[in-house]
Amino acid sequence: MEGWIIDLNIKNCKAVLWFKTVDGRVLKLEKGYEPVFYIPGNCLEKALDMVNSEPVKAEIVEKKIFPKGRGEFIRLSFNYLEYYRRALETLEKRGVEVYNGDLLHSQKFLFTEDLIPLAKYGVYKGELEYIDEEYRLEPPELSIMVLSLRFKTSVILCEFTYRFRDEKETVAGDEGFVLKELEKIIEEKNPDILLVNMDQREFLEKVISRARQYFRYYSLGRERVDVWRLKNPMFSTPGRLVFSYSDFESLGLAGLEERCRFSMLPAKIAYRWTAGRLVDSRQCYIAFKKNYVIPRSENLNLVVRSAWEIHLNDKGGLLQSPVVGLHENVAVLDFESMFPNIIVRYNVSYETVELDKVRRKPRGLLVDVVEHFLKRRLHFKHLKKKLNEPYRTWAEQRQNELKLLLVSSYGYSGNNFNRFGNPLTFEWINRISRIVMKKVYEIARSRGYKIVYSDTDSIFVKREDADIGDFEKLAEELEKATRLPIKVDRIYKFLVLLTTKTDVNLGGTKRYYGRLLDGSLDFKGVEVKRHDCPEFVKDFQYRLADKLLSGESKEDVYKNLRECYNIVAKAIDEILEGRIPAEKLVVKKVLRKDEYKVLAPHYVASLQLRLNGYRMTPGDIIEFIYVNAKHRNPLMRVQAWKLYDGRSYDKDKYIELLLDAAESILAPFDFNRKRFYNLDLNDEMLEEELIETADIL
């Protein structure tokens, strides 16, 4: 039989694996598990009475100590989880240093067995054998039920709506009845994954706390659970995965699989852990396989230095402020995964770095963490361009998740609470990146290119006579000189580099737009890329940039300025005349927490929804319309979109948002709202004035 490990539970000294076969069956496999931790060999006296009184097996073993060295340790193994927990607490109270003690039991089991949740295995005579294709694109074939549960204002009423394959149904009524129907339908449809309308933990806590009022045994998983004795609701769904669909949508099952592969964690845990904790899990796995004892996560790693030494060495990557304004024929040369590549190429790791050098040997632990997944990420990144849907989406989900984990491996290397950490690691990665970028600057300038902007691992260069071949030749030369992969990422026919939003005299990082050689528009850091911007404003900004950057030369762009001013004026007229459909004025913002000290517009909208029986939780997207943004009462300034009654929208507020978007595009050409209102758009000399001003700038 072939299939995927979808869940893991540790019960006493037994690991229960839930296995979904390719033909749709779900198997429950059991394997033995022995909980173990280590203490230093010289601590035998402190543990002797415990060893004699508790059912524990003790033996002397030799283990590696990170970053270097070996030592004798006492390996303590137990045949019951309660004995393990009790012994761990006793020794820690006595001040005994315990190793491998704060790892989850599921981590220890998966590390020992080398099992990867959501990877493909065969089951032969009760044993699991890895048979997966290393670069498989398709995610595991798991069934998904989308579930929306709502507890109404009356505590005895609730409802849920489920969608499974082609079926959809809503059940409402008495709370006990609805919860029983929910359990019954889930058992009947038997999905592998529940996607729910709130945070995963909040959903389970809500359901289990309410279920306790009516039932002794209740479960949304594949086993009934005694909810009266259940301490943690997160353990209430054995054999079934529960995720929030607002988070899961972008991650996808393919992205979740990459998390599990990287962290060696069960899917339930890999889903909810932060990127830093996932990196820690991978580091622990590598250390475990290399026979190191694993210190506690609270290990505080500091290198004692003077303030001057820190000032000299603790710097970030190298940036060049943008040359604000319009540029022609600009290529972006981008290093592929620069920081992970630096780690691998230069063997930068916790045990290889010193104040004045990075040692080439031994091979660093951080290199082992990064190298395989760097190759994997680049494989999916390059492959996606050749694929059609849904394979393209799967490749994108995989490479996006791997990109996050690789960047986090770099960032986590500078965390003082990294159990293997050495802050010099982070500093050396940045130091090497600065050396690399200085070399890039020198070579590019020596070949006649002007650098108009650079940002840590990418460089924007232009040369009037350069073509695609010239830019690619430059990239090849830079790759050879730096020994790091760099590619021509894109080429702009026109590129406009922008100022910051707060200071028109200061170039803004990651704020620009342009027209690529294929004719498409590219935006970064402006309203059209923001999720909270109304659709009408986004459409307006896109049309404005599209018109401005039409033509074949800079002169054509300048000539388009007058028409751009007319586009702004017409858009304002549309707002004033009330011709914009209300749905195009909806603002969307994420509710980050349950309560805010300030009555922000999206929080006000969430309060309105709550008062009308809607369940709002952190992570929800709140939609609203401005109806009177300057009202003295903050509660009257907006109206939640779901409650919108058709009243007039706040025209002044939407004109303000429109002009913000116009300034983002036209500010480098001396556009501002005060000047705009003072211009006579019918003046025949206006075009020449605008061109002259832009040319001077």
Side-chain angles (χ1 to χ4, degrees):
M1 291 177 291
E2 297 180 359
W4 306 268
I5 301 169
I6 60 174
D7 197 13
L8 166 66
N9 305 109
I10 305 294
K11 296 182 178 180
N12 296 329
C13 284
K14 185 170 61 179
V16 179
L17 295 159
W18 296 89
F19 190 81
K20 177 68 178 286
T21 67
V22 293
D23 60 3
R25 289 178 293 160
V26 178
L27 307 180
K28 183 179 175 183
L29 308 176
E30 294 184 356
K31 292 180 71 70
Y33 167 66
E34 183 181 50
V36 170
F37 62 76
Y38 299 86
I39 61 175
N42 59 9
C43 293
L44 180 59
E45 289 186 9
K46 293 184 178 180
L48 197 58
D49 65 321
M50 186 201 71
V51 171
N52 291 331
S53 62
E54 296 279 11
V56 54
K57 179 181 177 182
E59 60 180 312
I60 302 295
V61 296
E62 187 178 274
K63 302 284 285 185
K64 292 181 181 178
I65 304 170
F66 192 86
K68 57 184 177 181
R70 291 176 174 272
E72 281 193 346
F73 290 85
I74 303 170
R75 180 182 188 270
L76 299 174
S77 56
F78 304 80
N79 57 12
Y80 198 70
L81 293 185
E82 179 58 26
Y83 299 150
Y84 171 96
R85 183 193 62 78
R86 201 159 60 201
L88 193 62
E89 288 181 357
T90 299
L91 290 172
E92 287 178 340
K93 286 178 181 177
R94 294 177 181 178
V96 176
E97 193 170 8
V98 178
Y99 293 88
N100 295 49
D102 65 348
L103 296 180
L104 301 178
H105 291 297
S106 55
Q107 280 178 296
K108 293 182 180 182
F109 174 76
L110 293 173
F111 289 2
T112 303
E113 300 291 331
D114 263 330
L115 294 176
I116 307 171
L118 298 188
K120 200 171 187 180
Y121 285 86
V123 180
Y124 303 100
K125 297 182 180 179
E127 295 298 318
L128 290 163
E129 182 178 320
Y130 183 77
I131 59 170
D132 212 344
E133 299 173 25
E134 190 63 24
Y135 291 100
R136 167 177 51 83
L137 271 171
E138 300 88 344
E141 296 170 17
L142 305 183
S143 58
I144 298 175
M145 175 183 283
V146 180
L147 184 64
S148 178
L149 179 67
R150 185 158 69 100
F151 291 95
K152 298 184 179 179
T153 49
S154 171
V155 295
I156 61 168
L157 294 176
C158 70
E159 69 177 32
F160 71 87
T161 301
Y162 78 88
R163 188 168 72 250
F164 185 68
R165 298 194 172 104
D166 296 329
E167 303 175 46
K168 184 177 180 180
E169 184 180 348
T170 299
V171 176
D174 175 79
E175 193 172 81
F177 165 76
V178 170
L179 289 173
K180 189 66 178 176
E181 285 297 300
L182 176 62
E183 182 185 41
K184 178 181 174 183
I185 288 172
I186 290 175
E187 182 179 2
E188 177 188 332
K189 305 303 179 184
N190 198 23
D192 302 308
I193 298 174
L194 296 178
L195 295 186
V196 298
N197 62 322
M198 60 185 80
D199 175 75
Q200 168 198 33
R201 178 178 289 276
E202 182 185 7
F203 172 83
L204 293 173
E205 287 176 348
K206 286 269 184 201
V207 171
I208 297 304
S209 66
R210 299 300 179 97
R212 286 191 180 114
Q213 309 300 317
Y214 307 97
F215 316 107
R216 173 67 184 268
Y217 294 95
Y218 187 83
S219 179
L220 302 180
R222 287 186 160 115
E223 278 185 347
R224 291 175 68 79
V225 175
D226 186 341
V227 292
W228 290 4
R229 300 180 63 183
L230 185 67
K231 294 181 180 179
N232 188 343
M234 298 301 287
F235 299 146
S236 64
T237 60
R240 184 166 286 128
L241 307 177
V242 180
F243 306 128
S244 165
Y245 54 63
S246 61
D247 297 331
F248 190 79
E249 186 177 5
S250 58
L251 175 66
L253 199 49
L256 180 61
E257 182 191 332
E258 294 302 326
R259 282 195 185 192
C260 293
R261 284 180 175 273
F262 182 86
S263 64
M264 298 294 291
L265 286 168
K268 284 179 179 176
I269 299 173
Y271 168 79
R272 70 175 189 266
W273 272 19
T274 62
R277 294 187 73 185
L278 297 176
V279 172
D280 176 66
S281 185
R282 186 70 193 181
Q283 292 182 163
C284 289
Y285 170 71
I286 298 295
F288 183 90
K289 302 311 289 185
K290 288 189 170 186
N291 202 35
Y292 285 105
V293 287
I294 299 172
R296 294 192 65 83
S297 60
E298 290 85 356
N299 186 26
L300 182 62
N301 300 285
L302 293 173
V303 178
V304 178
R305 292 174 290 170
S306 68
W308 180 248
E309 286 175 321
I310 294 173
H311 167 72
L312 289 177
N313 295 293
D314 192 7
K315 300 175 181 177
L318 193 63
L319 292 84
Q320 177 185 300
S321 295
V323 179
V324 175
L326 175 66
H327 304 274
E328 287 184 282
N329 197 33
V330 178
V332 181
L333 278 60
D334 187 30
F335 281 99
E336 290 192 306
S337 297
M338 177 189 247
F339 295 139
N341 266 306
I342 285 174
I343 292 169
V344 173
R345 171 66 68 181
Y346 296 97
N347 197 40
V348 185
S349 186
Y350 313 117
E351 71 276 38
T352 64
V353 295
E354 298 176 8
L355 282 172
D356 58 347
K357 66 180 179 180
V358 179
R359 289 182 280 111
R360 301 300 295 174
K361 290 183 179 180
R363 178 182 169 89
L365 181 141
L366 192 56
V367 178
D368 285 330
V369 169
V370 163
E371 186 172 31
H372 171 72
F373 292 97
L374 173 60
K375 293 177 181 176
R376 190 172 175 86
R377 188 244 164 172
L378 294 179
H379 169 80
F380 290 124
K381 178 185 177 182
H382 297 152
L383 182 64
K384 72 172 184 176
K385 299 173 184 177
K386 308 172 186 177
L387 300 172
N388 297 319
E389 294 298 347
Y391 298 96
R392 183 183 177 88
T393 295
W394 292 335
E396 179 70 6
Q397 288 173 340
R398 291 182 185 278
Q399 81 91 16
N400 275 342
E401 193 58 31
L402 289 169
K403 179 180 180 181
L404 171 66
L405 293 168
L406 289 168
V407 169
S408 298
S409 298
Y410 150 71
Y412 193 64
S413 70
N415 190 316
N416 284 336
F417 291 92
N418 181 337
R419 72 177 85 211
F420 300 105
N422 178 347
L424 296 178
T425 311
F426 182 74
E427 293 175 15
W428 264 107
I429 296 170
N430 288 326
R431 184 175 178 179
I432 293 172
S433 78
R434 294 195 300 273
I435 294 170
V436 167
M437 291 304 291
K438 285 178 182 177
K439 187 177 291 187
V440 167
Y441 290 178
E442 291 170 3
I443 293 173
R445 286 167 179 155
S446 70
R447 300 298 180 266
Y449 291 92
K450 181 178 180 181
I451 301 168
V452 296
Y453 174 48
S454 76
D455 186 2
T456 309
D457 62 351
S458 62
I459 183 171
F460 291 60
V461 296
K462 71 175 185 179
R463 198 179 76 192
E464 189 174 339
D465 61 341
D467 57 21
I468 297 176
D470 293 321
F471 290 127
E472 289 178 343
K473 184 178 178 180
L474 175 62
E476 291 173 5
E477 187 175 353
L478 294 175
E479 183 168 333
K480 185 177 180 180
T482 62
R483 297 192 299 162
L484 296 173
I486 184 171
K487 304 291 182 187
V488 178
D489 186 57
R490 55 199 183 277
I491 301 176
Y492 293 97
K493 182 178 181 180
F494 299 118
L495 173 69
V496 182
L497 295 170
L498 302 172
T499 64
T500 64
K501 291 286 286 185
T502 55
D503 189 345
V504 295
N505 298 310
L506 184 64
T509 58
K510 293 182 173 62
R511 289 198 78 232
Y512 54 82
Y513 66 95
R515 188 176 295 280
L516 300 170
L517 287 185
D518 64 4
S520 63
L521 291 174
D522 183 46
F523 298 87
K524 186 78 170 181
V526 296
E527 284 77 2
V528 76
K529 299 294 287 185
R530 288 174 52 180
H531 298 298
D532 61 347
C533 187
E535 185 181 343
F536 173 74
V537 176
K538 286 185 178 183
D539 291 343
F540 158 78
Q541 191 177 63
Y542 185 93
R543 286 186 289 112
L544 197 63
D546 189 35
K547 180 60 186 176
L548 179 66
L549 299 184
S550 60
E552 298 300 321
S553 66
K554 270 189 175 183
E555 289 71 25
D556 292 335
V557 173
Y558 295 157
K559 289 177 182 178
N560 292 331
L561 285 171
R562 177 169 187 148
E563 183 57 33
C564 288
Y565 275 67
N566 285 327
I567 290 173
V568 177
K570 289 176 182 177
I572 291 174
D573 287 343
E574 285 186 82
I575 293 174
L576 291 173
E577 294 167 10
R579 291 190 281 123
I580 313 299
E583 58 269 19
K584 289 196 171 186
L585 298 175
V586 174
V587 180
K588 302 178 183 179
K589 284 186 177 289
V590 177
L591 189 69
R592 299 293 182 190
K593 48 190 177 181
D594 278 320
E595 293 186 10
Y596 288 72
K597 293 182 179 179
V598 177
L599 290 175
H602 69 296
Y603 179 52
V604 169
S606 74
L607 294 177
Q608 294 171 353
L609 291 167
R610 284 170 179 163
L611 289 171
N612 282 272
Y614 290 92
R615 175 67 190 171
M616 296 289 105
T617 59
D620 287 346
I621 296 175
I622 309 298
E623 300 178 327
F624 63 90
I625 282 184
Y626 286 102
V627 291
N628 191 349
K630 293 184 179 180
H631 198 286
R632 292 177 62 184
N633 184 351
L635 298 174
M636 302 297 291
R637 292 172 184 172
V638 301
Q639 189 171 33
W641 174 240
K642 288 180 180 178
L643 307 175
Y644 184 59
D645 55 14
R647 71 182 70 178
S648 176
Y649 52 80
D650 188 329
K651 296 174 182 177
D652 289 340
K653 179 63 178 179
Y654 284 103
I655 289 174
E656 180 185 329
L657 295 177
L658 188 86
L659 290 172
D660 286 343
E663 286 181 344
S664 291
I665 298 299
L666 299 175
F669 305 93
D670 202 34
F671 175 94
N672 61 67
R673 62 194 71 197
K674 183 177 180 180
R675 182 175 184 233
F676 171 76
Y677 282 125
N678 291 330
L679 286 176
D680 179 3
L681 297 183
N682 296 314
D683 185 353
E684 294 181 0
M685 301 298 292
L686 177 61
E687 183 172 313
E688 291 183 17
E689 180 187 340
L690 295 175
I691 292 174
E692 182 180 352
T693 303
D695 197 35
I696 291 172
L697 292 170

